[in-house]
């Protein structure tokens, strides 16, 4: 069973990599492989879902606990979120050439980590865990799209690789769309923090304890609120907005993946 | 005057408040001892900014979802403030059969916390817990509630809440030594809680005999302590090691040891279980205001986004 699980994951990763390469080739050679790309992403997602399901069935709990599980489930959710956006907003499909290679970092990370089994602490056996993580995954998905758009804006403002992103709408439109994804991220970040607080109150008798993950999550939320108010108060240019968007993405990325990496379990000490 | 109010209500002041909160977070990340104090300056700036903004900004008042969002945010901040003034975080350790009367210790509490546990009446009945690799795993604890004359099953997922005090299972369990002391001032019966059980940890502590100034060191000596696995139960074979004035004695259950000041009888063992205790009357209201703030913000943003296409510019 362990072999099947790994096999399906490797196949999924391989297909994601082919999808990423296809996205880059599409932009570099101005080819139209959009349907192929969508099919590749969906095929990868199906194989990845099978891998996660086998593991879930074998261990009796979802992929929430150790680094391997967190990486795998986040690759899955980011790919799913992007696939939906790719399908629903055709005008920004060229962004796939930025997003998919970006997710490759997680592929490289997961293949370096042993696929160890994890033990789910008793306090993790609650519906609030699913709610908390579900909102968190939407939050990260929205931030990923916003930061990819911000990268494209910065490339174009710096006049780097302009020809590869010429099919995308103007920077003003991309900036507006990135802003809307930031708003979505703020709402789901707030919901994630609220669900996490309810879970923490039930499990450990405190809704907020300033542990490393909580504190850094609050930093991400604060930065999102700062960006939105800054935009309303000063109407900064595309570059400043893009830099701030990318900054909040990196802080959230480090919170999601960095803190569990240094503390072995998501909420250290709160088990 | 209105210019001053408009300035206080401006987004620039909001940004200053958010910046001050971020400075507070830096202090918290540096292991600042009191996080509440660290975030207080930013919090107060934002509270005043928000309150005045609701009063003077027509843009907020004329849009129902936006107004509802700001009012919810204001309620949320006021609730957090009052919650911090009255909250309590502590712990209690209870023997099986012991009636709760007060906390064993307090970690933090707000300056206005009412130290009144008269509404919190319960009796610790039995509990079951599994030891795996030396630490507590799944635990269930039965509590007797004298007012309703019912029993409550407390578990890792189900805390007990009485009069806004929430009792959550802590990671601590242990043994209590039952002792009686016949001294010059009469007979006393009581239990002494040993430190929390951990594999390879010596279960010992110092204790002053009642009515004397004599300090004794007691240790529970049980053969299976280092290999305990499965249910956390009373050991089958155990004895008490007693040490004072460089003398060491061993007492079996039911045996006594007499000193110049009186006689100490070892009456047996009990198990104790620990709870983290948290008091915050505002929790349900915090959830309601959080939800209303997020929902109204969502509605406002949805309305705003629907007014124009992102690609229209």
């Amino acid at each position: 069973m362990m072999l099947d699980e790994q096999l399906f994951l490797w196949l999924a990763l391989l297909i994601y990599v082919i999808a990423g390469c296809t996205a880059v080739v599409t932009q570099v050679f101005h080819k139209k492989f959009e349907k192929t790309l969508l099919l590749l992403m969906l095929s990868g997602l199906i194989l990845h879902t099978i891998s996660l399901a086998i593991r879930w069935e074998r261990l009796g709990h979802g992929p929430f606990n150790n680094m391997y599980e967190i990486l795998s489930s986040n690759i899955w959710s980011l790919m799913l979120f992007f696939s939906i956006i790719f399908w629903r907003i055709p005008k920004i499909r060229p962004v796939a050439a930025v997003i998919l290679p970006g997710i490759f970092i997680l592929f490289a990370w997961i293949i370096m980590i042993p696929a160890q089994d994890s033990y789910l602490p008793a306090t993790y056996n609650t519906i609030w865990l699913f709610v908390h993580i579900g909102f968190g995954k939407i939050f990260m998905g929205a931030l990923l799209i916003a930061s990819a758009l911000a990268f494209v804006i910065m490339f174009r403002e710096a006049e780097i690789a302009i020809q590869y992103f010429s099919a995308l709408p103007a920077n003003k439109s991309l900036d507006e769309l990135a802003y809307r994804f930031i708003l979505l991220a703020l709402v789901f970040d707030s919901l994630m923090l609220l669900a996490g607080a309810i879970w923490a109150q039930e499990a450990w008798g405190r809704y907020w304890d300033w542990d490393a993950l909580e504190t850094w999550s609050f930093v991400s939320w604060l930065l999102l609120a700062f960006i939105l108010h800054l935009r309303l108060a000063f109407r900064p240019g595309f570059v400043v907005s893009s830099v701030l968007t990318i900054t909040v993405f990196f802080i959230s990325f480090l919170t999601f993946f960095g803190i569990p990496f240094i503390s072995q379990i998501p909420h250290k000490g709160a088990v | 005057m209105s210019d001053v109010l408009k300035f206080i209500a401006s987004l620039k002041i909001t940004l200053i408040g958010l910046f001050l909160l971020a400075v507070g977070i830096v202090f918290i990340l540096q292991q600042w001892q009191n996080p509440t104090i660290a975030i207080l300056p930013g919090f107060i700036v934002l509270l005043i900014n928000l309150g005045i903004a609701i009063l003077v900004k027509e843009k907020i008042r004329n849009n129902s979802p936006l107004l509802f969002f700001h009012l919810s945010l204001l309620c949320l901040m006021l609730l957090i403030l009052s919650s911090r003034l009255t909250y309590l975080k502590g712990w209690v350790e209870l023997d099986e059969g012991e009636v709760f009367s007060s906390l064993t210790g307090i970690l933090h509490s707000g300056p206005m916390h009412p130290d009144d546990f008269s509404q919190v009446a319960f009796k610790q009945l039995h509990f079951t817990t599994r030891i795996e690799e030396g630490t507590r795993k799944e635990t269930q604890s039965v509590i007797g509630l004298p007012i309703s004359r019912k029993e409550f099953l407390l578990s890792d997922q189900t805390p007990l809440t009485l009069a806004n005090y929430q009792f959550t299972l802590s990671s601590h369990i242990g043994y209590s030594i039952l002792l009686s002391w016949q001294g010059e001032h009469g007979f006393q019966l009581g239990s002494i809680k040993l430190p929390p059980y951990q594999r390879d940890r010596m279960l010992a502590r110092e204790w002053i005999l009642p009515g004397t100034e004599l300090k004794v060191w007691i240790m529970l000596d049980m053969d299976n302590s280092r290999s305990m696995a499965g249910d956390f139960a009373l050991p089958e074979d155990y004895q008490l090691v007693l040490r004072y004035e460089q003398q060491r004695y061993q007492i079996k259950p039911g045996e006594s040891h007499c000193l110049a000041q009186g006689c100490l009888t070892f009456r047996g063992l009990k198990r104790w279980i620990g709870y983290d205790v948290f008091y915050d009357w505002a929790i349900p209201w915090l959830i309601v205001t959080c939800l209303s703030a997020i929902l109204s913000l969502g509605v406002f943003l949805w309305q705003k986004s629907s007014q124009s296409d992102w690609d229209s510019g």
Side-chain angles (χ1 to χ4, degrees), chain A residues 92 94-95 98-99 144-166 168-182 231 236-246, chain B residues 310:
Chain A
I92 61 161
V95 172
V98 176
I99 288 181
L144 176 75
I145 309 293
S147 60
L149 293 169
F151 265 116
V152 172
I153 292 169
M154 284 182 64
F155 281 141
R156 296 210 297 201
E157 288 289 310
E159 299 192 347
I160 299 168
I162 299 175
Q163 67 274 25
Y164 302 136
F165 298 109
S166 56
L168 281 164
N171 278 356
K172 191 182 176 198
S173 298
L174 291 187
D175 184 58
E176 174 62 24
L177 188 61
Y179 172 63
R180 290 184 185 193
F181 275 108
I182 288 282
R231 191 180 172 102
F238 300 144
V239 174
V240 174
S241 293
S242 299
V243 168
L244 287 169
T245 303
I246 292 165
Chain B
W310 64 272

Side-chain angles (χ1 to χ4, degrees), chain A residues 91 122 173 180 201 205 209, chain B residues 89 157 166 168 278 305 308 311:
Chain A
K91 284 181 184 173
S173 298
R180 290 184 185 193
Q201 184 64 40
D209 205 33
Chain B
K89 195 175 170 188
Q157 293 83 32
Q166 183 176 304
T168 314
F278 188 80
S305 300
S308 62
D311 199 17

Side-chain angles (χ1 to χ4, degrees), chain B residues 251-265:
Chain B
I251 323 176
K252 292 271 184 192
E255 289 180 357
S256 297
H257 178 77
C258 290
L259 301 85
Q261 295 90 338
C263 280
L264 190 70
T265 305

Side-chain angles (χ1 to χ4, degrees), chain B residues 180-246:
Chain B
S180 65
W181 170 249
Q182 180 68 58
E184 292 169 3
H185 302 287
F187 178 81
Q188 287 187 47
L189 181 69
S191 73
I192 298 169
K193 289 182 180 67
L194 291 170
Y197 173 79
Q198 274 179 15
R199 190 170 60 175
D200 300 334
R201 182 178 184 178
M202 186 186 285
L203 297 177
R205 60 169 287 185
E206 282 191 326
W207 173 60
I208 295 172
L209 289 167
T212 72
E213 291 178 357
L214 188 61
K215 192 184 277 184
V216 296
W217 179 85
I218 50 176
M219 185 191 82
L220 180 66
D221 180 20
M222 50 183 195
D223 292 340
N224 61 346
S225 63
R226 286 168 198 277
S227 59
M228 184 173 281
D231 292 337
F232 178 74
L234 291 175
E236 287 178 6
D237 187 24
Y238 58 92
Q239 60 184 351
L240 188 66
V241 176
L242 187 70
R243 195 172 70 198
Y244 66 96
E245 294 173 348
Q246 270 112 45

